[in-house]
Amino acid sequence: MKVKMDQRFEDVYWILDGKKQLATKNLVPGQRVYDEVLKRSRGVEYRVWNPYRSKLAAAIYKGLSTFPFKKGSRILYLGIASGTTASHISDIIGNSGVIFGIEIAQRVLRDLLPVAAARKNIVPIMESARRPQNYCWIVPEVDVVYEDVAQPDQASILRRNSDIFLRKRGYAFIAVKSSSIDVTLPPKKVYRQVEREMTSTGKYKLIENIDLSPYDPKHAMIVFRKL
Ligand SMILES: C[S@@+](CC[C@H](N)C(=O)[O-])C[C@H]1O[C@@H](n2cnc3c(N)ncnc32)[C@H](O)[C@@H]1O
């Protein structure tokens, strides 16, 4: 088995053993977060990052070129759920970084708690991402706002949180589920609506829009930069 660091993204790896699989270095060796496969090479443990379970992994497989997740990054994660994607971001940003994870559903947040207890860089916050005023006392300025809430008003949730928490030149990522916004419109039209909601304010520039099929049909990862 061979392991190579991605040519563009630091701390993102490719495991080559017959097939080519995305992976991150396990920040908490021996511990799984979901049912991911663990692989060891030269005394280092890696967690295979499944593009069918994580839209950020799917975006990397589909050619994402913006990747501001680095050692020490501060992330506001809206809709962190039980931490599937966040755990891989946690591996990448290391103990000098931090993820503030907003989640409204008590049941999934309960599953996140042991993950956050083992990983010191995840701060779970039970709150609605529609009420940033309720967590602005705990969340500082961040480098990245990452949103995956599958709600009809997901674009306005992203804009309001990015207006408050995102630093200038920071990045806003949104995993858009087109059917959550408008099931009657073709996905591309829904993506344009989301892009307009952010760019029409003059505060954000569209950087890229990645269609996530076949991993997540009718989903896109759209990336903006704060001007
Ligand atoms: C598709 S799941 C997120 C999966 C997760 N991002 C991952 O990749 O591991 C969407 C999550 O958003 C949460 N959610 C929905 N509306 C929300 C809101 N207003 N505020 C915070 N979380 C919300 C749901 O409870 C659910 O856990």
Side-chain angles (χ1 to χ4, degrees), residues 7 20 25 28 43 62 66 72 101 111 127 136 148-149 163 177 182 187 191 205 223:
Q7 287 182 340
K20 189 177 171 192
K25 240 185 222 178
V28 188
K62 290 295 305 282
T66 314
D111 294 337
E127 188 45 86
C136 60
D148 181 12
V149 294
D163 283 355
K177 182 176 180 183
D182 192 333
Y191 305 152
K205 182 182 172 196
V223 183

Side-chain angles (χ1 to χ4, degrees), residues 48-153:
V48 171
W49 195 357
N50 186 340
Y52 290 96
R53 298 288 302 275
S54 165
K55 296 174 196 101
L56 186 56
I60 295 174
Y61 274 91
K62 290 295 305 282
L64 181 76
S65 53
T66 314
F67 201 77
F69 306 93
K70 300 179 193 338
K71 286 256 170 312
S73 295
R74 285 199 287 209
I75 319 287
L76 172 60
Y77 195 129
L78 309 171
I80 190 168
S82 52
T84 300
T85 297
S87 63
H88 288 283
I89 298 175
S90 153
D91 286 343
I92 294 166
I93 65 175
N95 284 322
S96 57
V98 61
I99 301 169
F100 297 91
I102 312 298
E103 176 54 55
I104 199 170
Q106 203 177 3
R107 192 190 53 76
V108 286
L109 199 78
R110 214 183 300 135
D111 294 337
L112 177 68
L113 293 181
V115 177
R119 293 167 175 269
K120 305 295 177 208
N121 60 8
I122 298 181
V123 180
I125 301 171
M126 195 170 103
E127 188 45 86
S128 169
R130 292 191 183 92
R131 292 193 291 261
Q133 67 277 13
N134 289 355
Y135 46 86
C136 60
W137 59 276
I138 186 169
V139 178
E141 192 172 67
V142 296
D143 303 300
V144 182
V145 176
Y146 183 95
E147 182 188 290
D148 181 12
V149 294
Q151 293 296 307
D153 55 340

Side-chain angles (χ1 to χ4, degrees), residues 149-170:
V149 294
Q151 293 296 307
D153 55 340
Q154 55 193 274
S156 98
I157 293 175
L158 180 72
R159 184 178 45 72
R160 289 177 52 224
N161 278 272
S162 302
D163 283 355
I164 299 171
F165 300 107
L166 189 60
R167 69 165 170 82
K168 273 196 176 160
R169 317 292 294 158

